[in-house]
Amino acid sequence: MTRKQADIDRLFHALGDPTRRAILDRLSQGPVSVSQLAGPLGITLTAVGQHLEILEACGLAVTEKVGRVRTCRMASAGLDALEQWVRDHRSQWEQRIDRLANLLEEGKAP
């Protein structure tokens, strides 16, 4: 498995969890503290920290600690990689569909 494939696997793993998607939804509104994330989710600070570790590992979130407060924000690196993966796969599928359409048109010829 290539590094790029492993990165995409981590991204899909991170996005496959509804709690992590909820965290990203909240972070898309702007930076927030870990405790502010935990409240509406109804999970512990430790659980939020574990989810954030996964999001950070694949480039979807960044956290920084200032004093006693850990603040989180969205990161674009993971989204950029995911967007590239979708573009690549969309192109492949569009080419396959075009080939299928050509074959079907050839089959209609008398």
Side-chain angles (χ1 to χ4, degrees), residues 33-34 63-71:
S33 71
V34 173
T63 64
E64 66 179 346
K65 190 170 185 180
V66 178
R68 295 178 57 191
V69 177
R70 181 167 295 281
T71 303

Side-chain angles (χ1 to χ4, degrees), residues 34-43 48:
V34 173
S35 59
Q36 289 172 317
L37 281 174
L41 295 172
I43 60 176
V48 170

Side-chain angles (χ1 to χ4, degrees), residues 40-57:
L41 295 172
I43 60 176
T44 66
L45 293 176
T46 302
V48 170
Q50 291 170 344
H51 285 294
L52 286 170
E53 283 179 23
I54 292 168
L55 293 170
E56 284 185 284

Side-chain angles (χ1 to χ4, degrees), residues 86-102:
V86 169
R87 265 196 311 267
D88 292 346
H89 284 76
R90 175 178 286 150
S91 174
Q92 290 173 8
W93 278 103
E94 286 172 350
Q95 290 172 9
R96 290 175 183 168
I97 290 170
D98 290 344
R99 282 190 298 236
L100 177 60
N102 290 338

Side-chain angles (χ1 to χ4, degrees), residues 7 11 14-15 19 37 45-46 51 57-58 60-61 83 101 105 110:
D7 291 345
L11 278 165
L15 293 171
T19 301
L37 281 174
L45 293 176
T46 302
H51 285 294
C58 61
L60 292 171
E83 184 178 13
E105 284 298 318

